[in-house]
Amino acid sequence: MSTETRTWTGPSAPERLNTLRSTESIAIVGASNKPSRASYFVATYLQSSSPYRVYFINPVLDEILGQPVYPSLAELPETPDLVDVFRKDGDLPDVARDAVDVGAKTLWLQLGSWNEEAAGIAEDGGLDVVMDRCVKIEHARFHGGLHLAGFNTGVISSKRQVLA
């Protein structure tokens, strides 16, 4: 994560919910075929538990989860509504430029990613920006699916649940 001072203010929870509700397609930039990587976990969740068309961007892979992988956003078969980024900090401004160039609606920097230069590029290009948040966690939180990853037991109590 960048050590820069945070001056940018992100969208509120209702604004993030609106973004996810209006999104139909997501491109995962920096998608990995390694199950231990966060991008793989997010991809499996989005494929199985969301309505989105999911695309993978990685110039060195051919296939992830049985789907083709594209070398760049420009080579996708459609313009993605949301560009979900799993790249190192120094790559984020270029990814923001690419997202603007292809006409995406939202640049979403994954949990742990914060780059105000990238946010400025995206906002100047007319995109909404979300930083330091996980699409999977946000989608699950808004749609009651956090229990899928063990975050929500459905019990609101400070006492241990007694099982018969």
Side-chain angles (χ1 to χ4, degrees):
M1 183 186 299
S2 174
T3 57
E4 67 185 293
T5 302
R6 292 186 174 196
T7 60
W8 181 84
T9 303
S12 66
E15 290 167 331
R16 292 190 310 274
L17 173 59
N18 188 52
T19 293
L20 292 174
R21 282 187 172 158
S22 64
T23 293
E24 295 182 7
S25 60
I26 295 178
I28 300 177
V29 175
S32 175
N33 59 357
K34 296 178 179 139
S36 61
R37 295 284 177 95
S39 64
Y40 187 91
F41 182 68
V42 168
T44 59
Y45 171 83
L46 291 175
Q47 280 188 327
S48 68
S49 301
S50 81
Y52 309 122
R53 292 182 303 282
V54 181
Y55 297 99
F56 305 122
I57 310 299
N58 188 318
V60 299
L61 296 175
D62 295 323
E63 183 179 291
I64 297 173
L65 296 168
Q67 285 189 214
V69 178
Y70 299 88
S72 70
L73 289 171
E75 297 181 52
L76 290 176
E78 71 173 300
T79 299
D81 292 323
L82 188 150
V83 175
D84 188 16
V85 188
F86 291 85
R87 298 287 304 163
K88 65 183 185 288
D89 191 66
D91 294 340
L92 299 177
D94 285 338
V95 175
R97 286 182 196 94
D98 291 346
V100 169
D101 289 347
V102 300
K105 295 176 185 168
T106 303
L107 178 72
W108 191 298
L109 302 185
Q110 202 42 284
L111 201 58
S113 288
W114 188 276
N115 188 299
E116 298 202 10
E117 179 188 358
I121 290 164
E123 288 178 334
D124 289 348
L127 277 67
D128 293 327
V129 176
V130 177
M131 293 196 288
D132 195 19
R133 293 203 179 262
C134 175
V135 165
K136 180 249 175 276
I137 292 171
E138 292 291 286
H139 181 273
R141 180 166 80 104
F142 293 133
H143 296 88
L146 280 180
H147 64 283
L148 296 174
F151 292 116
N152 180 1
T153 63
V155 176
I156 301 173
S157 172
S158 61
K159 295 181 181 178
R160 185 180 304 252
Q161 185 177 10
V162 178
L163 302 173

